[in-house]
Amino acid sequence: MKFGLLGTGPWAQRTHGPALAAHQDVDLVGVWGRRAEPTGALAQQLGTRPYADIDALFADCDAVAVALPPDVQAPLAVRAADAGCHLLLDKPVATTPEAARAVTEAVERGGLSCVVFFTLHFSDTTGDWLRETARRGEAARARSEAGWQVGRADWLSPVFGGADSPYTASPWRQEKGALWDVGPHALSVLLPLLGEAETVTAARGGVGDTVHLVLRHASGASSTCTLSHSVTPAAAGVTAEVRGGAGIAELPLREEEPAVSFGRALDALLETARAGGDRDHPCGARFAEAVTSILHRAQEQLPAV
């Protein structure tokens, strides 16, 4: 499948680009970026061609992979879909419900495939855990026992807390904070296991951009999230668990590089595209739209920093 890469930042350089270039079933046609110099440099690094005209890249591709800020990604994803390209997007797909819905509508309008790179779902260790934990919950309900009743997901990062990170200077992360950057990861664990979130309550508290969420799920379960990019490196970590009739299930550590996981996301898109398009992929546009809706509802409750 012929792919175009949109974006030239650290995530494109370290994850999307290498995975696209290495995949045996992908022909990386070219790279488009918002600035000519890094676009040319990344295209040369990946052994492909820089494009100055994004619509020309769409015309030459079957699919695009996007590594851009969400509010840049969403309208370009719509343009790509309207040009007939399948979509491999990054999280969050957008930061407004309207923009996320526009992506979903474009995918469905074109009968296209869309996969959103919620990293944990495409890592061997964590992806297997998510599927097995969902199975355990369903088995407990089938035995007329309680399914998963409560959950928590804490993503504590030092991106703004003293870490030597290429993402510290990211303008969109500085503006939107951990809620929008790592909040999608937390929700990607809780929603498949506990069900759709009917309500969300948000509060800002603690250091920097730290945010706390309380969710009530349609299943009757509840969950909490603590999200921060402002903890010190010594305090950083990711933990998540669910509890219920099936016992306790704790999220294992992700043990592989993101580029390896991204390769599996590519596999997923290729598989669904070859099947004629799949609007119901577990990490598809509609799931990404639901994540954006929850985060937007949370954002509306928070005071400006």
Side-chain angles (χ1 to χ4, degrees):
M1 183 175 286
K2 294 183 290 184
F3 265 83
L5 172 59
L6 310 186
T8 61
W11 199 229
Q13 296 170 29
R14 298 178 175 205
T15 300
H16 291 55
L20 287 161
H23 200 290
Q24 63 180 3
D25 293 327
V26 167
D27 175 12
L28 182 53
V29 171
V31 176
W32 176 89
R34 290 174 288 172
R35 294 183 295 131
E37 185 175 347
T39 301
L42 183 57
Q44 183 176 24
Q45 174 187 325
L46 297 174
T48 189
R49 170 187 167 191
Y51 276 72
D53 183 343
I54 195 170
D55 294 304
L57 180 57
F58 295 157
D60 289 344
C61 291
D62 306 306
V64 294
V66 185
L68 289 165
D71 292 332
V72 179
Q73 169 177 249
L76 293 181
V78 171
R79 281 174 65 181
D82 285 343
C85 296
H86 302 291
L87 304 176
L88 182 47
L89 305 179
D90 217 329
K91 59 78 206 162
V93 71
T95 63
T96 68
E98 296 79 13
R101 182 61 190 162
V103 173
T104 302
E105 290 174 346
V107 169
E108 295 181 352
R109 184 166 60 242
L112 299 163
S113 295
C114 176
V115 171
V116 181
F117 186 40
F118 290 95
T119 315
L120 297 177
H121 286 257
F122 300 100
S123 170
D124 250 355
T125 305
T126 52
D128 288 347
W129 179 86
L130 282 162
R131 288 182 284 274
E132 173 60 18
T133 303
R135 187 199 64 76
R136 285 175 58 189
E138 291 165 3
R141 286 193 295 273
R143 297 192 300 268
S144 299
E145 299 173 2
W148 299 120
Q149 297 172 302
V150 294
R152 67 175 178 86
D154 300 335
W155 255 253
L156 305 177
S157 151
V159 166
F160 303 143
D164 181 14
S165 169
Y167 307 110
T168 301
S170 165
W172 86 264
R173 288 178 176 87
Q174 291 175 353
E175 178 187 357
K176 298 296 186 181
L179 175 67
W180 286 97
D181 191 21
V182 297
H185 291 309
L187 294 177
S188 80
V189 171
L190 296 173
L191 297 181
L193 301 179
L194 302 179
E196 177 185 354
E198 291 186 328
T199 65
V200 58
T201 304
R204 195 179 299 284
V207 63
D209 67 341
T210 302
V211 172
H212 304 277
L213 306 181
V214 178
L215 292 88
R216 177 75 175 179
H217 299 265
S219 65
S222 63
S223 63
T224 63
C225 304
T226 300
L227 312 169
S228 182
H229 271 331
S230 301
V231 301
T232 62
V238 169
T239 57
E241 68 174 27
V242 288
R243 296 173 179 247
I248 302 170
E250 298 181 359
L251 180 73
L253 293 175
R254 181 168 55 85
E255 297 174 338
E256 64 190 21
E257 292 298 316
V260 177
S261 304
F262 192 76
R264 293 195 185 91
L266 278 167
D267 291 337
L269 185 69
L270 291 165
E271 181 180 349
T272 56
R274 287 166 178 161
D278 182 0
R279 300 170 193 170
D280 296 315
H281 189 278
C283 292
R286 283 192 284 187
F287 179 69
E289 183 185 347
V291 168
T292 291
S293 175
I294 294 166
L295 295 175
H296 182 74
R297 281 184 277 160
Q299 183 70 69
E300 288 186 315
Q301 300 173 43
L302 299 175
V305 177

